[in-house]
Amino acid sequence: MAPFKDSEGSPTGAAPGTSVTPPRTVTVGTALKWVVPVLAGLVVYLLPQPDGIKSGGWAVLAIFTATVLGLILQPLPLGAVALVGLTVTMITGTLEPDVALGGFSEPTIWLIVAAFFISLGFTKTGLGRRIALLFVRALGRSSLGLAYGITLTDLVLAPATPSNTARSGGVIQPVIRSLSENAGSHPGDESRRTLGAYLTVTAMQINTVTSAMFLTSMAANPLVQKLAADHDIHLTWTSWALAAIVPGLVALLVLPALLYRVFPPTVRATPEAPGQARAQLAELGRMSRQEWTMAAVFVLLLLLWSVGGQVWDLSATVSAFTGVALLLVTGVLTWGDLVAEKSAWTTLVWFSVLVMMAGQLQELGVIGWFSDTMTKATDGVGWQTAFVILTLVYLFSHYLFASNTAHVAAMYAAFLSAAIATGAPPVMAALVLGFISSLYGGLTHYASGPAPVLFGGGYVTLGEWWRTGLIAAGANIVIWMGVGALWLKVLGHW
Amino acid sequence: MAPFKDSEGSPTGAAPGTSVTPPRTVTVGTALKWVVPVLAGLVVYLLPQPDGIKSGGWAVLAIFTATVLGLILQPLPLGAVALVGLTVTMITGTLEPDVALGGFSEPTIWLIVAAFFISLGFTKTGLGRRIALLFVRALGRSSLGLAYGITLTDLVLAPATPSNTARSGGVIQPVIRSLSENAGSHPGDESRRTLGAYLTVTAMQINTVTSAMFLTSMAANPLVQKLAADHDIHLTWTSWALAAIVPGLVALLVLPALLYRVFPPTVRATPEAPGQARAQLAELGRMSRQEWTMAAVFVLLLLLWSVGGQVWDLSATVSAFTGVALLLVTGVLTWGDLVAEKSAWTTLVWFSVLVMMAGQLQELGVIGWFSDTMTKATDGVGWQTAFVILTLVYLFSHYLFASNTAHVAAMYAAFLSAAIATGAPPVMAALVLGFISSLYGGLTHYASGPAPVLFGGGYVTLGEWWRTGLIAAGANIVIWMGVGALWLKVLGHW
């Protein structure tokens, strides 16, 4: 089984109830974690190389295979695996150092790093918690109202919080816990189902939707953008948000209500919650100067991201850097905060390495060869059928992955390329596969960063988690392939 | 006066004896730290632009001026200043994001980052301390012997420790303190002069020499290499070490003895020191597996750096990455160690920004314009005279700098360019200015990273520090421009 970790790569430890494995098994398991990636890389390397691949391309595929398997099995943490993979590309002479290190200057990468820093501002200033309390005060009279309050909080924070784990773990999870405890719903005993379990699964599934909605709301989305750009498909912050807004809002409306039916809380009225939120808000007092600054920078960022691209030709990365610079100059964040944000630096390293490898696979003809092969395989099937099959395979293969980003890095480019080769309209294919890249994040308790954090709260059993995950995935398929497809048609993407 | 900070950029706090500044002054001072860089940048921007500079070049010079002044005055820490400077290059449209972020994929930068990680291995495993104790056991019967023991320790660690601050602060300074305390020499009272003061100033001046001796022994040396490469001068790890070995060893022999004369310890025999080292070594026990691994990786690295470049065409960066990968795979270092090494990430950011800006100044014709101007100014003077003047100006201008790297970034390229323009042999000029870039690091108590760390030990007064710094600088000028110049002649560099 895949290990528990968040999508930024920091292990969150074993989930409650995991039994201690005897040392012997650990040793064999540890050895396998090393042997499998290395062996797989060697096997790929020794396979007969198809025609049309440039020099070094097949070796990059072998190293890429080993690295991605390493990211999944994690004999070492993500950053270390990526660094070893990077070293192998250079020491074997497969790529020159300046090419191999090229990922580190991709604007895509720095958009993520900058956005990690911006989201720090929400937690550090307490603005994130305040926003959550405001929604609870307004909507919290019932369990369903609370769920929508959590949904709105997540949605408001999403555009500036690419760490969906930070959003879930840093803002939403503490609020769920405090709401549930106050309502007498505790993890580990029967009271868990009164409120906590429902709010937890809703928060999880909602988070996958908000992650899908903005270029900057999930760490792997800019990677999707970059991989699509390698196929000459140029997704902007605005075009992404516009394409996702309709199915996204429908999903955010439907999912809390659907989960309320299939996995209901036993307490439905929570009359005290608004009062408690009001008390906590009173305790917080007025917004501090730091919170105001953070709010102002956030509004500016939303403006720059949405209209800045059109009006001033500002890239999302430049806008994000402007936000970080303002937060530093105003003292909301310090350099010490930034340099201590380990997930940003870890992400910088493994993301850069994956982006570089994926780019080289494209550059050196490997992706082209794969899509040619796929085209031949689906010859005679209409593109619609082929695309639905590809999408479903892409979605459900996530049972094998413990991170959205690892999955995107491993399979997105190949599936996009295959979809286009079967005749699917490129922009539509890039967007739909991009949305799926977030939506599969709630399938299992290890599926994405937020999953182990929320599951670790202890309100939901493994069986309940997988069952609600599957139900929500089904609902998302209907919504995003139904309403979503119609909306993309309206936008002229197919 | 320049603030106290180390060359990796982490402030080390006020030195002992610094009086507390009243709040009012701090406010004005803080404002000035902002106003001066911004104003200077604006003034440069508004100056009449000379001919022959490409579009954007003059704007880069203005932003560069403001950034370097920011790095010196530090209204914010180094990393933050660099990040703001980087943002300005992008938001003003001076440079495209992929150009502005280009510094982050420079192999030079990653050599430094990797070497930071490698040097972690010395401190983490305790191998660094063990080496120091071995030298003390062998040579420590007298104060002079202890000084040479410290010298040898620093020399042995230097090739793999680009953080001269880590070498001084992490290994040497704790040994000095323990040796001195054991000999009854305490900071702050009269006993300080018995042993501690002498060892401290020697450690400082020795460190500037070892920093000058290897491409990988001081953080700014690869920057020197990069800036020289921009002038088509290609310094390798081996050519650097070969050029520095003779004057370096002479300086390492002379300086402890010279300082012993001009700043003598009052206790000259330290008969107990070898015994104490022996006892501490006994306490350490046999070398651990981790220490053996670290030692083996270190020897491999020295091999790769010295002969790897010639035989297998391995760049210093690839070799360094190989070392880091081996330390990760063998478990000597963990990803957690790496990601928590804040100085590495801080250096990554500000170094990348400076390297990018310096490269753009070259690319866009600003450096060429400066050297043309200098050539006209020194017209009619022989290149030897011109070069000596340039070198001395470069060295003593370091009274204005609080970091070797800031000084290199601000002035090295321009001075090298001017030297070449006056007719100095390029390789010789690049090397000599490169050596000076370390040798000025002991001039003041804020001159470089190790200075505030060692000064902060409290054994040496301000007056003593500046006086011994000037004496050592004089000795270094004689050694490096005498023996050093002869040796470079033997090597055929002029």
Side-chain angles (χ1 to χ4, degrees):
Chain A
M1 186 194 288
F4 305 100
K5 74 203 83 66
D6 67 27
S7 63
E8 283 85 51
S10 53
T12 51
T18 307
S19 64
V20 178
T21 333
R24 177 81 198 169
T25 319
V26 169
T27 311
V28 173
T30 309
L32 277 180
K33 287 177 181 182
W34 283 103
V35 170
V36 171
V38 172
L39 216 62
L42 283 175
V43 167
V44 170
Y45 186 71
L46 295 173
L47 284 179
Q49 183 174 328
D51 292 335
I53 289 177
K54 292 182 199 154
S55 166
W58 202 250
V60 172
L61 180 64
I63 299 169
F64 176 75
T65 306
T67 305
V68 168
L69 279 172
L71 293 177
I72 295 170
L73 297 175
Q74 296 203 13
L76 297 172
L78 299 187
V81 169
L83 200 145
V84 172
L86 170 63
T87 304
V88 174
T89 63
M90 295 192 288
I91 192 91
T92 56
T94 304
L95 297 173
E96 288 298 310
D98 55 340
V99 176
L101 297 168
F104 289 107
S105 55
E106 286 284 351
T108 300
I109 302 291
W110 287 95
L111 170 57
I112 286 302
V113 173
F116 265 109
F117 296 152
I118 294 164
S119 70
L120 259 184
F122 280 110
T123 34
K124 188 185 174 192
T125 61
L127 184 61
R129 179 155 173 262
R130 184 185 295 272
I131 292 169
L133 291 171
L134 286 171
F135 282 120
V136 170
R137 191 178 65 181
L139 302 169
R141 257 165 293 273
S142 68
S143 314
L144 193 61
L146 285 174
Y148 282 112
I150 287 169
T151 302
L152 283 169
T153 307
D154 197 320
L155 179 63
V156 166
L157 298 180
T161 318
S163 169
N164 49 355
T165 312
R167 221 154 67 225
S168 276
V171 180
I172 303 292
Q173 156 81 355
V175 170
I176 290 181
R177 172 162 284 249
S178 123
L179 287 171
S180 306
E181 297 276 351
N182 287 341
S185 177
H186 307 287
D189 63 38
E190 271 315 296
S191 70
R192 66 183 182 80
R193 283 298 301 272
T194 55
L195 182 63
Y198 165 67
L199 290 182
T200 302
V201 299
T202 306
M204 177 69 249
Q205 299 305 330
I206 282 307
N207 185 272
T208 70
V209 176
T210 58
S211 297
M213 288 175 72
F214 305 95
L215 181 59
T216 42
S217 61
M218 203 271 287
N221 288 350
L223 179 57
V224 163
Q225 180 196 36
K226 173 73 177 69
L227 296 171
D230 290 343
H231 288 79
D232 271 326
I233 301 164
H234 299 284
L235 307 175
T236 63
W237 194 92
T238 317
S239 69
W240 184 301
L242 191 62
I245 191 81
V246 171
L249 290 179
V250 170
L252 292 182
L253 270 174
V254 168
L255 286 175
L258 173 70
L259 291 165
Y260 193 76
R261 269 194 81 85
V262 301
F263 190 64
T266 53
V267 168
R268 301 194 169 213
T270 53
E272 317 79 15
Q276 283 159 354
R278 191 171 293 112
Q280 287 179 47
L281 281 167
E283 211 176 292
L284 282 182
R286 305 175 73 110
M287 269 175 75
S288 66
R289 195 187 65 83
Q290 306 258 326
E291 278 180 275
W292 277 115
T293 312
M294 181 65 220
V297 169
F298 180 47
V299 170
L300 176 70
L301 272 170
L302 290 182
L303 272 175
L304 290 179
W305 276 331
S306 50
V307 301
Q310 268 88 48
V311 182
W312 302 291
D313 195 29
L314 276 184
S315 77
T317 304
V318 176
S319 303
F321 265 90
T322 307
V324 174
L326 287 174
L327 292 175
L328 284 170
V329 170
T330 55
V332 172
L333 293 177
T334 67
W335 181 253
D337 297 329
L338 269 52
V339 81
E341 177 63 357
K342 297 179 185 177
S343 52
W345 305 107
T346 299
T347 307
L348 168 71
V349 170
W350 68 288
F351 232 51
S352 298
V353 172
L354 286 178
V355 164
M356 176 278 292
M357 287 185 183
Q360 289 301 309
L361 287 179
Q362 174 75 16
E363 181 81 17
L364 300 173
V366 178
I367 299 288
W369 159 78
F370 177 82
S371 65
D372 286 353
T373 312
M374 290 294 279
T375 322
K376 279 175 208 143
T378 54
D379 205 24
V381 183
W383 72 260
Q384 291 88 341
T385 315
F387 185 63
V388 169
I389 294 170
L390 283 170
T391 307
L392 292 178
V393 171
Y394 183 61
L395 195 157
F396 288 107
S397 61
H398 197 66
Y399 279 108
L400 302 175
F401 284 87
S403 141
N404 291 355
T405 312
H407 195 167
V408 169
M411 297 174 61
Y412 179 86
F415 272 69
L416 174 59
S417 174
I420 296 170
T422 60
V427 177
M428 185 219 62
L431 284 168
V432 172
L433 290 170
F435 300 151
I436 300 288
S437 302
S438 284
L439 296 173
Y440 51 41
L443 272 183
T444 66
H445 57 306
Y446 54 78
S448 63
V453 178
L454 289 167
F455 181 71
Y459 280 101
V460 186
T461 68
L462 199 67
E464 288 164 355
W465 191 279
W466 282 53
R467 186 167 64 84
T468 52
L470 189 58
I471 292 168
N476 270 320
I477 289 169
V478 172
I479 293 167
W480 292 78
M481 292 200 153
V483 182
L486 283 178
W487 176 239
L488 289 179
K489 185 94 180 170
V490 171
L491 293 177
H493 287 315
W494 61 286
Chain B
M1 185 194 285
F4 305 100
K5 72 203 85 64
D6 68 24
S7 63
E8 283 85 52
S10 53
T12 51
T18 307
S19 65
V20 178
T21 333
R24 177 80 198 170
T25 319
V26 168
T27 311
V28 173
T30 309
L32 277 180
K33 287 177 180 183
W34 283 103
V35 170
V36 171
V38 172
L39 215 63
L42 284 175
V43 166
V44 169
Y45 187 71
L46 296 173
L47 283 178
Q49 183 174 328
D51 292 336
I53 289 176
K54 291 181 201 157
S55 166
W58 202 251
V60 173
L61 179 64
I63 299 169
F64 176 75
T65 305
T67 305
V68 168
L69 279 171
L71 293 177
I72 295 171
L73 297 175
Q74 296 202 14
L76 297 172
L78 299 187
V81 169
L83 201 144
V84 173
L86 171 63
T87 305
V88 175
T89 65
M90 295 192 289
I91 192 90
T92 56
T94 304
L95 298 173
E96 288 298 309
D98 55 339
V99 175
L101 297 168
F104 289 108
S105 55
E106 286 284 350
T108 299
I109 303 290
W110 287 95
L111 170 57
I112 287 301
V113 174
F116 265 109
F117 296 152
I118 293 164
S119 70
L120 259 184
F122 279 109
T123 34
K124 188 184 175 192
T125 61
L127 184 60
R129 179 156 173 262
R130 184 184 294 273
I131 292 169
L133 290 171
L134 286 171
F135 282 120
V136 170
R137 191 177 68 181
L139 302 169
R141 256 166 293 274
S142 68
S143 314
L144 193 60
L146 285 174
Y148 281 112
I150 286 169
T151 302
L152 283 169
T153 307
D154 196 320
L155 179 63
V156 166
L157 298 180
T161 319
S163 170
N164 50 353
T165 313
R167 222 153 68 224
S168 276
V171 179
I172 303 290
Q173 156 81 356
V175 170
I176 290 181
R177 172 162 284 251
S178 121
L179 287 171
S180 305
E181 298 275 351
N182 288 342
S185 178
H186 306 289
D189 63 38
E190 271 316 295
S191 70
R192 67 185 182 79
R193 284 297 301 271
T194 55
L195 183 62
Y198 166 66
L199 290 182
T200 301
V201 297
T202 307
M204 178 68 250
Q205 299 305 330
I206 282 308
N207 185 273
T208 69
V209 175
T210 58
S211 297
M213 288 176 72
F214 306 95
L215 181 59
T216 43
S217 60
M218 203 272 288
N221 288 349
L223 179 56
V224 163
Q225 182 196 35
K226 173 74 175 66
L227 296 171
D230 289 344
H231 288 79
D232 270 328
I233 301 165
H234 299 285
L235 307 174
T236 64
W237 195 92
T238 316
S239 69
W240 183 302
L242 191 62
I245 190 83
V246 171
L249 290 179
V250 170
L252 292 180
L253 271 174
V254 167
L255 286 175
L258 174 70
L259 291 164
Y260 193 75
R261 268 193 83 83
V262 301
F263 189 64
T266 54
V267 168
R268 302 192 167 213
T270 53
E272 317 81 15
Q276 283 159 354
R278 191 171 295 113
Q280 287 180 44
L281 280 167
E283 210 175 291
L284 282 181
R286 305 176 73 111
M287 270 174 74
S288 66
R289 196 187 65 82
Q290 306 258 327
E291 277 179 277
W292 277 114
T293 312
M294 182 66 219
V297 169
F298 180 46
V299 169
L300 176 69
L301 272 171
L302 290 182
L303 272 175
L304 291 179
W305 276 331
S306 51
V307 301
Q310 268 89 48
V311 182
W312 301 293
D313 196 28
L314 275 184
S315 76
T317 305
V318 176
S319 303
F321 265 91
T322 307
V324 175
L326 287 173
L327 293 175
L328 284 170
V329 169
T330 55
V332 171
L333 293 177
T334 67
W335 180 253
D337 297 329
L338 269 51
V339 81
E341 177 64 356
K342 297 179 185 175
S343 52
W345 305 107
T346 300
T347 307
L348 168 71
V349 170
W350 67 289
F351 232 51
S352 298
V353 172
L354 286 178
V355 164
M356 175 278 291
M357 287 185 183
Q360 289 301 309
L361 287 180
Q362 174 76 17
E363 181 82 16
L364 300 173
V366 178
I367 299 287
W369 159 78
F370 176 82
S371 65
D372 286 353
T373 313
M374 289 294 278
T375 321
K376 280 178 206 141
T378 54
D379 203 25
V381 182
W383 73 260
Q384 291 89 342
T385 316
F387 185 62
V388 169
I389 293 170
L390 283 171
T391 307
L392 292 179
V393 171
Y394 183 61
L395 195 156
F396 288 107
S397 61
H398 196 65
Y399 278 106
L400 302 175
F401 284 89
S403 140
N404 291 355
T405 312
H407 195 166
V408 169
M411 297 176 61
Y412 179 87
F415 272 69
L416 174 59
S417 174
I420 296 170
T422 61
V427 177
M428 185 219 63
L431 284 167
V432 172
L433 289 171
F435 300 152
I436 300 288
S437 302
S438 285
L439 296 174
Y440 52 39
L443 273 184
T444 66
H445 57 306
Y446 54 77
S448 63
V453 178
L454 288 167
F455 181 70
Y459 280 102
V460 186
T461 67
L462 199 67
E464 288 164 356
W465 191 280
W466 281 53
R467 186 167 64 85
T468 53
L470 188 59
I471 291 168
N476 270 319
I477 289 170
V478 172
I479 293 167
W480 292 80
M481 292 200 151
V483 182
L486 284 178
W487 177 240
L488 290 179
K489 184 93 181 169
V490 171
L491 293 177
H493 287 315
W494 62 287

